[in-house]
Amino acid sequence: DDPMRVLRKLSLVKDGKPTNACYLAFAAVVNSSTLFQVGRFKGNSIILDSRTFKDDLFGELDSVMAFVKSHLMTGFVITGKPQHEIKNDYPVDAIREIVLNMLVHRDYREAGGVSVIKIFDDRIEFTNPGGLANGLTVDDLLSDRYATKARNPETAELFRHAGLTERYGSGIL
């Protein structure tokens, strides 16, 4: 389909102008609105590695995931098969789901807001500007009985059309 028609269908272009969601998703310039800080720590205060990403949303997803994967503890599992299996200390698919949710549900209006991932020896901490949206609570999430509503519907729809998310909220558990 014609690219402009697709952008209009996804509500990324309105009245002939790109929306904020369109800018965040595709801007080729350094973007302070999407600042993402990722670090690897030894203990609580020694920084072993740190990166700041300021990119379009798709670029940030790829860059953040590459950094996180490079710092996950990995082991080999001998299974009796001809090849060993590689096991990470955290499931990469679960981390990717969290990062996607951070990008889709972040409050981009929060001035100076930074998405942060801190990788420690015994845990990973994820912090995102805006908190839970639309009155949602942690208890709601844990109950698995809630209606999902994206804080950034155009961004959520774009990621869904790209095959990266769905709209059921099934990734929480």
Side-chain angles (χ1 to χ4, degrees), residues 23 27-32 54-55:
Y23 173 75
V29 297
V30 172
N31 191 347
S32 61
K54 295 183 262 182
D55 205 350

Side-chain angles (χ1 to χ4, degrees), residues 3-99:
M4 285 303 291
R5 184 173 170 187
V6 171
L7 292 173
R8 282 191 301 272
K9 280 183 184 179
L10 294 174
S11 299
L12 295 173
V13 169
K14 294 179 182 174
D15 300 323
K17 297 178 182 172
T19 63
N20 287 337
C22 185
Y23 173 75
L24 294 172
F26 301 114
V29 297
V30 172
N31 191 347
S32 61
S33 299
T34 63
L35 199 64
F36 217 118
Q37 185 77 36
V38 189
R40 173 65 172 98
F41 293 77
K42 189 74 171 170
N44 286 326
S45 58
I46 299 173
I47 302 169
L48 299 176
D49 194 6
S50 179
R51 293 281 311 274
T52 301
F53 300 102
K54 295 183 262 182
D55 205 350
D56 63 85
L57 297 182
F58 292 102
E60 280 197 356
L61 173 62
D62 293 340
S63 298
V64 167
M65 286 306 300
F67 182 94
V68 170
K69 283 185 208 177
S70 74
H71 289 287
L72 289 180
M73 297 297 291
T74 303
F76 297 113
V77 179
I78 308 302
T79 63
K81 297 176 186 173
Q83 295 177 329
H84 61 264
E85 291 181 11
I86 298 174
K87 180 161 175 46
N88 292 304
D89 51 356
Y90 297 99
V92 174
D93 289 343
I95 294 171
R96 184 175 177 84
E97 181 74 19
I98 293 168
V99 173

Side-chain angles (χ1 to χ4, degrees), residues 120-140:
F120 298 92
D121 289 340
D122 61 344
R123 69 190 184 282
I124 302 177
E125 296 177 1
F126 303 87
T127 308
N128 210 36
L132 293 172
N134 308 311
L136 202 60
T137 67
V138 172
D139 287 339
D140 294 333

Side-chain angles (χ1 to χ4, degrees), residues 132 136-146 172-173:
L132 293 172
L136 202 60
T137 67
V138 172
D139 287 339
D140 294 333
L141 294 175
L142 294 174
S143 75
D144 200 30
R145 291 185 305 272
Y146 59 92
I172 297 297
L173 291 179

